[in-house]
Amino acid sequence: MKKNNVTKVLSMKALMAAALLMGACSNDADNAAQSSAEYDPESKASVNWTAILHAPSPPSGDVLTKLEEHTNADINFNWVPDASKEERITAALASGELSDIVSLTMMTNSSVRQSLKSGMFWDVGEYLDDYDNLKAISQEVRDAASIEGVLYGVPFQKPLARSGLVLRQDWLDNLGMKQPTNLEELREVARAFTEDDPDGNGKDDTVGFGDRSDLRYSSFKLLASYHGAPNGWKVEEDGSFTPEFETEEYMNTMKYSRDLYENGFLSQDFAVTAKTDQQQKFAQGKTGIYTGMIDILNLKNLSQGLQDGLKLVPVNKIAGPDGEYHVWSENTGVGGLMAFPKSEVESEAELKRLLQFVNDLIDEEAFMLMTGGIEGTHYELNESGAIEITDTDLWQKEVQPLSSSRPSEITHSLVDADPDKQLANELVEENTEFAVIDPTVPLDSATANERGTELEKIMVDATIKYIMGEMDDAGFKESIEKWRSSGGDQIVKEYAEAYKASK
């Protein structure tokens, strides 16, 4: 429900007037008044928000206006395209050109972690329990989102493990194939989708796996899960840490991916492909396997008018060599932080107002606006209460760009009228049982904070080169040694120390 007690921070002018009335005459007195002042419950807030854009263009239309009405705020988005977020966000952190709220989704990025630990952002841990929606954030999520026990923003709440595959069910049907249940069967599907003319047009114009350059959200990370690789790091029995790329399972994943690539079952340009291009290729019928179950409805929408008779199916269970199913968890259900820079949010009163704004975004009304849009315009609820998008094009323009900025994807649940999307939702929930956690999420390493992203690039580049056949086993081992000598050994040591201290 919409809250009528949404408020705005007292202006500096009002604070100064209050200080004068109390006879204060020093800057210290002004600052004290500013810190202790409560925000005006009847005034409107002005919120500047740097957010990540996962759609081709920013939202338009009335949804944002409705969202502003619900939160009693003027919202000015500074949109950062997902493809350039690392460059843009790190540049903003370095320059100090920030907004009231900054969506920090790259929690392992060294520049981000350094900025958080530097004191640039407010510690919000003590404030969350003052708000009805924020206080519901579990302690597990708070711990996972914290750095050395300090929570530098409101966590984006996500499902524990969202990863999975989307396959062309119509291609499977055309070829008389069943959905794959293990890695061998998955390879055979990728082969058939590439070589056996799955669309029946008589042309050699399809590829099994469509993919992109981001190893974390491409097929590689998911395939590594299927192979039983650790999620980032493995904690040994003696408490020491082993990076995932030094495990046999990771090496087996690289060999599996290299086989796909060498045979043409994996997109040959994956190393230079962005997410939007990957989606477009799938929508155009050029590829038949996509990594990301949660995108299934978007893929169907993108394919409208391009792929007649298209049928998709989400698949989450692919058994590994051990016969078991494993899936990696994204930061233990944390999708990043909505952080508040002290340079922009100068007082506690301002911070509290912004926390109220975030709290209101978690309300069911705001959630529905950012998920479905406006009832009667973008969606309807059918007789069973399931949500059905009624104008796909309008939804994509006015709603979809906002959906990735929802503070919580787990507080409210919807039944989707699209059976494929609903099945994907259920499989994401089922993934919780099989999720593999990154043990370093709640830990801190000074070296990782300082040079982690730079060092990570060494192994990302080596992995891509190995998959493409440009590096052999010996070359990959040399890359590991370079990683270790450049600071990796110190990271291993620091994580082990932090782990021991946490016990």
Side-chain angles (χ1 to χ4, degrees), residues 153-181:
V154 177
F156 282 104
Q157 298 176 78
K158 303 279 188 180
L160 189 63
R162 302 183 298 167
S163 196
L165 300 171
V166 176
L167 276 67
R168 288 287 298 260
Q169 179 65 56
D170 52 327
W171 287 9
L172 289 173
D173 294 341
N174 291 344
L175 298 172
M177 303 183 75
K178 297 181 179 180
Q179 295 171 20
T181 62

mmCIF file of all heavy atoms in Angstrom, residues 153-181:
data_model
loop_
_atom_site.group_PDB
_atom_site.id
_atom_site.type_symbol
_atom_site.label_atom_id
_atom_site.label_comp_id
_atom_site.label_asym_id
_atom_site.label_seq_id
_atom_site.Cartn_x
_atom_site.Cartn_y
_atom_site.Cartn_z
ATOM 1 N N GLY A 153 25.289 -0.255 2.226
ATOM 2 C CA GLY A 153 24.156 0.051 1.374
ATOM 3 C C GLY A 153 23.054 -0.962 1.576
ATOM 4 O O GLY A 153 23.230 -1.964 2.280
ATOM 5 N N VAL A 154 21.904 -0.716 0.975
ATOM 6 C CA VAL A 154 20.792 -1.649 1.051
ATOM 7 C C VAL A 154 21.017 -2.759 0.027
ATOM 8 O O VAL A 154 21.183 -2.477 -1.162
ATOM 9 C CB VAL A 154 19.451 -0.950 0.759
ATOM 10 C CG1 VAL A 154 18.309 -1.963 0.776
ATOM 11 C CG2 VAL A 154 19.199 0.151 1.791
ATOM 12 N N PRO A 155 21.039 -4.020 0.439
ATOM 13 C CA PRO A 155 21.296 -5.111 -0.508
ATOM 14 C C PRO A 155 20.157 -5.266 -1.520
ATOM 15 O O PRO A 155 18.976 -5.179 -1.164
ATOM 16 C CB PRO A 155 21.380 -6.351 0.393
ATOM 17 C CG PRO A 155 21.586 -5.836 1.775
ATOM 18 C CD PRO A 155 20.901 -4.514 1.822
ATOM 19 N N PHE A 156 20.509 -5.452 -2.781
ATOM 20 C CA PHE A 156 19.545 -5.923 -3.759
ATOM 21 C C PHE A 156 19.278 -7.391 -3.436
ATOM 22 O O PHE A 156 20.189 -8.210 -3.477
ATOM 23 C CB PHE A 156 20.100 -5.813 -5.179
ATOM 24 C CG PHE A 156 20.063 -4.433 -5.767
ATOM 25 C CD1 PHE A 156 21.218 -3.677 -5.865
ATOM 26 C CD2 PHE A 156 18.869 -3.897 -6.234
ATOM 27 C CE1 PHE A 156 21.189 -2.408 -6.427
ATOM 28 C CE2 PHE A 156 18.835 -2.625 -6.797
ATOM 29 C CZ PHE A 156 19.996 -1.870 -6.888
ATOM 30 N N GLN A 157 18.047 -7.727 -3.108
ATOM 31 C CA GLN A 157 17.710 -9.093 -2.725
ATOM 32 C C GLN A 157 17.315 -9.899 -3.966
ATOM 33 O O GLN A 157 16.383 -9.539 -4.688
ATOM 34 C CB GLN A 157 16.567 -9.099 -1.722
ATOM 35 C CG GLN A 157 16.909 -8.384 -0.418
ATOM 36 C CD GLN A 157 15.730 -8.323 0.516
ATOM 37 O OE1 GLN A 157 15.382 -9.292 1.189
ATOM 38 N NE2 GLN A 157 15.083 -7.168 0.566
ATOM 39 N N LYS A 158 18.045 -10.967 -4.203
ATOM 40 C CA LYS A 158 17.839 -11.812 -5.377
ATOM 41 C C LYS A 158 17.600 -13.257 -4.939
ATOM 42 O O LYS A 158 17.960 -13.638 -3.818
ATOM 43 C CB LYS A 158 19.082 -11.775 -6.276
ATOM 44 C CG LYS A 158 19.506 -10.391 -6.736
ATOM 45 C CD LYS A 158 18.687 -9.930 -7.907
ATOM 46 C CE LYS A 158 19.243 -8.629 -8.474
ATOM 47 N NZ LYS A 158 18.451 -8.150 -9.634
ATOM 48 N N PRO A 159 17.031 -14.078 -5.822
ATOM 49 C CA PRO A 159 16.987 -15.513 -5.529
ATOM 50 C C PRO A 159 18.404 -16.047 -5.328
ATOM 51 O O PRO A 159 19.365 -15.493 -5.876
ATOM 52 C CB PRO A 159 16.340 -16.105 -6.788
ATOM 53 C CG PRO A 159 15.544 -14.980 -7.370
ATOM 54 C CD PRO A 159 16.346 -13.742 -7.084
ATOM 55 N N LEU A 160 18.535 -17.112 -4.583
ATOM 56 C CA LEU A 160 19.863 -17.625 -4.234
ATOM 57 C C LEU A 160 20.640 -18.092 -5.459
ATOM 58 O O LEU A 160 21.853 -17.859 -5.554
ATOM 59 C CB LEU A 160 19.724 -18.773 -3.234
ATOM 60 C CG LEU A 160 21.016 -19.280 -2.598
ATOM 61 C CD1 LEU A 160 21.679 -18.178 -1.776
ATOM 62 C CD2 LEU A 160 20.738 -20.491 -1.719
ATOM 63 N N ALA A 161 19.979 -18.742 -6.394
ATOM 64 C CA ALA A 161 20.672 -19.275 -7.577
ATOM 65 C C ALA A 161 19.717 -19.221 -8.766
ATOM 66 O O ALA A 161 18.786 -20.024 -8.859
ATOM 67 C CB ALA A 161 21.148 -20.705 -7.322
ATOM 68 N N ARG A 162 19.958 -18.298 -9.680
ATOM 69 C CA ARG A 162 19.026 -18.074 -10.785
ATOM 70 C C ARG A 162 19.442 -18.761 -12.083
ATOM 71 O O ARG A 162 18.673 -18.793 -13.038
ATOM 72 C CB ARG A 162 18.905 -16.575 -11.072
ATOM 73 C CG ARG A 162 18.432 -15.747 -9.886
ATOM 74 C CD ARG A 162 18.282 -14.294 -10.283
ATOM 75 N NE ARG A 162 19.564 -13.705 -10.705
ATOM 76 C CZ ARG A 162 19.666 -12.544 -11.338
ATOM 77 N NH1 ARG A 162 18.581 -11.868 -11.653
ATOM 78 N NH2 ARG A 162 20.856 -12.076 -11.665
ATOM 79 N N SER A 163 20.642 -19.286 -12.137
ATOM 80 C CA SER A 163 21.187 -19.720 -13.417
ATOM 81 C C SER A 163 20.538 -20.997 -13.937
ATOM 82 O O SER A 163 20.098 -21.856 -13.170
ATOM 83 C CB SER A 163 22.703 -19.925 -13.293
ATOM 84 O OG SER A 163 23.303 -19.983 -14.556
ATOM 85 N N GLY A 164 20.511 -21.108 -15.240
ATOM 86 C CA GLY A 164 19.951 -22.266 -15.917
ATOM 87 C C GLY A 164 19.931 -21.999 -17.408
ATOM 88 O O GLY A 164 20.371 -20.936 -17.865
ATOM 89 N N LEU A 165 19.415 -22.934 -18.175
ATOM 90 C CA LEU A 165 19.431 -22.834 -19.629
ATOM 91 C C LEU A 165 18.036 -22.581 -20.186
ATOM 92 O O LEU A 165 17.026 -22.953 -19.588
ATOM 93 C CB LEU A 165 19.968 -24.128 -20.239
ATOM 94 C CG LEU A 165 21.388 -24.536 -19.859
ATOM 95 C CD1 LEU A 165 21.675 -25.956 -20.364
ATOM 96 C CD2 LEU A 165 22.408 -23.548 -20.412
ATOM 97 N N VAL A 166 18.002 -21.938 -21.349
ATOM 98 C CA VAL A 166 16.794 -21.853 -22.159
ATOM 99 C C VAL A 166 17.102 -22.535 -23.484
ATOM 100 O O VAL A 166 18.089 -22.200 -24.147
ATOM 101 C CB VAL A 166 16.358 -20.396 -22.408
ATOM 102 C CG1 VAL A 166 15.156 -20.356 -23.348
ATOM 103 C CG2 VAL A 166 16.013 -19.701 -21.097
ATOM 104 N N LEU A 167 16.276 -23.512 -23.864
ATOM 105 C CA LEU A 167 16.475 -24.259 -25.107
ATOM 106 C C LEU A 167 15.301 -24.058 -26.052
ATOM 107 O O LEU A 167 14.161 -23.816 -25.615
ATOM 108 C CB LEU A 167 16.631 -25.755 -24.830
ATOM 109 C CG LEU A 167 18.010 -26.290 -24.442
ATOM 110 C CD1 LEU A 167 18.431 -25.757 -23.079
ATOM 111 C CD2 LEU A 167 18.016 -27.809 -24.432
ATOM 112 N N ARG A 168 15.575 -24.192 -27.343
ATOM 113 C CA ARG A 168 14.512 -24.180 -28.342
ATOM 114 C C ARG A 168 13.803 -25.533 -28.313
ATOM 115 O O ARG A 168 14.300 -26.530 -28.855
ATOM 116 C CB ARG A 168 15.099 -23.919 -29.730
ATOM 117 C CG ARG A 168 15.579 -22.499 -29.982
ATOM 118 C CD ARG A 168 14.427 -21.522 -30.146
ATOM 119 N NE ARG A 168 13.579 -21.827 -31.272
ATOM 120 C CZ ARG A 168 13.639 -21.208 -32.453
ATOM 121 N NH1 ARG A 168 14.528 -20.253 -32.640
ATOM 122 N NH2 ARG A 168 12.795 -21.531 -33.429
ATOM 123 N N GLN A 169 12.635 -25.570 -27.674
ATOM 124 C CA GLN A 169 11.877 -26.809 -27.610
ATOM 125 C C GLN A 169 11.400 -27.236 -29.002
ATOM 126 O O GLN A 169 11.354 -28.433 -29.314
ATOM 127 C CB GLN A 169 10.685 -26.651 -26.676
ATOM 128 C CG GLN A 169 9.800 -27.887 -26.551
ATOM 129 C CD GLN A 169 10.536 -29.059 -25.908
ATOM 130 O OE1 GLN A 169 11.060 -28.943 -24.825
ATOM 131 N NE2 GLN A 169 10.566 -30.204 -26.604
ATOM 132 N N ASP A 170 11.058 -26.271 -29.851
ATOM 133 C CA ASP A 170 10.608 -26.619 -31.196
ATOM 134 C C ASP A 170 11.729 -27.270 -32.007
ATOM 135 O O ASP A 170 11.484 -28.163 -32.821
ATOM 136 C CB ASP A 170 10.045 -25.396 -31.926
ATOM 137 C CG ASP A 170 10.981 -24.206 -31.919
ATOM 138 O OD1 ASP A 170 11.723 -24.037 -30.935
ATOM 139 O OD2 ASP A 170 10.966 -23.410 -32.881
ATOM 140 N N TRP A 171 12.974 -26.854 -31.764
ATOM 141 C CA TRP A 171 14.099 -27.502 -32.457
ATOM 142 C C TRP A 171 14.289 -28.924 -31.945
ATOM 143 O O TRP A 171 14.571 -29.840 -32.725
ATOM 144 C CB TRP A 171 15.380 -26.692 -32.253
ATOM 145 C CG TRP A 171 15.429 -25.412 -33.040
ATOM 146 C CD1 TRP A 171 14.413 -24.841 -33.748
ATOM 147 C CD2 TRP A 171 16.561 -24.566 -33.205
ATOM 148 N NE1 TRP A 171 14.829 -23.680 -34.333
ATOM 149 C CE2 TRP A 171 16.153 -23.484 -34.028
ATOM 150 C CE3 TRP A 171 17.869 -24.589 -32.735
ATOM 151 C CZ2 TRP A 171 17.010 -22.445 -34.381
ATOM 152 C CZ3 TRP A 171 18.737 -23.560 -33.085
ATOM 153 C CH2 TRP A 171 18.320 -22.500 -33.904
ATOM 154 N N LEU A 172 14.155 -29.101 -30.634
ATOM 155 C CA LEU A 172 14.229 -30.459 -30.084
ATOM 156 C C LEU A 172 13.165 -31.346 -30.726
ATOM 157 O O LEU A 172 13.436 -32.490 -31.129
ATOM 158 C CB LEU A 172 14.050 -30.435 -28.570
ATOM 159 C CG LEU A 172 15.178 -29.848 -27.725
ATOM 160 C CD1 LEU A 172 14.743 -29.741 -26.267
ATOM 161 C CD2 LEU A 172 16.447 -30.695 -27.825
ATOM 162 N N ASP A 173 11.941 -30.811 -30.835
ATOM 163 C CA ASP A 173 10.839 -31.573 -31.431
ATOM 164 C C ASP A 173 11.126 -31.890 -32.893
ATOM 165 O O ASP A 173 10.881 -33.030 -33.358
ATOM 166 C CB ASP A 173 9.535 -30.790 -31.316
ATOM 167 C CG ASP A 173 9.080 -30.608 -29.873
ATOM 168 O OD1 ASP A 173 9.541 -31.371 -29.006
ATOM 169 O OD2 ASP A 173 8.279 -29.684 -29.622
ATOM 170 N N ASN A 174 11.641 -30.908 -33.624
ATOM 171 C CA ASN A 174 11.943 -31.127 -35.050
ATOM 172 C C ASN A 174 12.955 -32.249 -35.249
ATOM 173 O O ASN A 174 12.895 -32.979 -36.248
ATOM 174 C CB ASN A 174 12.492 -29.845 -35.676
ATOM 175 C CG ASN A 174 11.447 -28.748 -35.784
ATOM 176 O OD1 ASN A 174 10.251 -29.005 -35.677
ATOM 177 N ND2 ASN A 174 11.901 -27.525 -35.997
ATOM 178 N N LEU A 175 13.889 -32.363 -34.293
ATOM 179 C CA LEU A 175 14.958 -33.354 -34.405
ATOM 180 C C LEU A 175 14.638 -34.657 -33.671
ATOM 181 O O LEU A 175 15.450 -35.587 -33.663
ATOM 182 C CB LEU A 175 16.265 -32.769 -33.862
ATOM 183 C CG LEU A 175 16.791 -31.527 -34.607
ATOM 184 C CD1 LEU A 175 17.985 -30.932 -33.856
ATOM 185 C CD2 LEU A 175 17.170 -31.880 -36.039
ATOM 186 N N GLY A 176 13.460 -34.704 -33.045
ATOM 187 C CA GLY A 176 13.079 -35.904 -32.305
ATOM 188 C C GLY A 176 13.932 -36.141 -31.080
ATOM 189 O O GLY A 176 14.187 -37.298 -30.701
ATOM 190 N N MET A 177 14.371 -35.055 -30.442
ATOM 191 C CA MET A 177 15.256 -35.155 -29.278
ATOM 192 C C MET A 177 14.522 -34.787 -27.992
ATOM 193 O O MET A 177 13.544 -34.042 -28.003
ATOM 194 C CB MET A 177 16.477 -34.235 -29.447
ATOM 195 C CG MET A 177 17.294 -34.504 -30.692
ATOM 196 S SD MET A 177 18.766 -33.447 -30.800
ATOM 197 C CE MET A 177 19.827 -34.245 -29.564
ATOM 198 N N LYS A 178 15.028 -35.315 -26.877
ATOM 199 C CA LYS A 178 14.503 -34.983 -25.564
ATOM 200 C C LYS A 178 15.383 -33.920 -24.914
ATOM 201 O O LYS A 178 16.515 -33.680 -25.331
ATOM 202 C CB LYS A 178 14.461 -36.225 -24.679
ATOM 203 C CG LYS A 178 13.524 -37.317 -25.179
ATOM 204 C CD LYS A 178 13.528 -38.515 -24.231
ATOM 205 C CE LYS A 178 12.579 -39.592 -24.708
ATOM 206 N NZ LYS A 178 12.562 -40.781 -23.782
ATOM 207 N N GLN A 179 14.852 -33.290 -23.893
ATOM 208 C CA GLN A 179 15.638 -32.321 -23.142
ATOM 209 C C GLN A 179 16.833 -33.020 -22.505
ATOM 210 O O GLN A 179 16.697 -34.118 -21.965
ATOM 211 C CB GLN A 179 14.779 -31.680 -22.055
ATOM 212 C CG GLN A 179 13.629 -30.853 -22.577
ATOM 213 C CD GLN A 179 12.676 -30.415 -21.479
ATOM 214 O OE1 GLN A 179 13.037 -30.405 -20.304
ATOM 215 N NE2 GLN A 179 11.455 -30.078 -21.852
ATOM 216 N N PRO A 180 18.010 -32.410 -22.543
ATOM 217 C CA PRO A 180 19.210 -33.046 -21.974
ATOM 218 C C PRO A 180 19.141 -33.112 -20.452
ATOM 219 O O PRO A 180 18.563 -32.226 -19.802
ATOM 220 C CB PRO A 180 20.333 -32.125 -22.436
ATOM 221 C CG PRO A 180 19.685 -30.785 -22.593
ATOM 222 C CD PRO A 180 18.302 -31.078 -23.099
ATOM 223 N N THR A 181 19.729 -34.157 -19.897
ATOM 224 C CA THR A 181 19.756 -34.321 -18.442
ATOM 225 C C THR A 181 21.171 -34.413 -17.886
ATOM 226 O O THR A 181 21.363 -34.409 -16.679
ATOM 227 C CB THR A 181 18.984 -35.589 -18.030
ATOM 228 O OG1 THR A 181 19.627 -36.727 -18.616
ATOM 229 C CG2 THR A 181 17.535 -35.527 -18.492
#
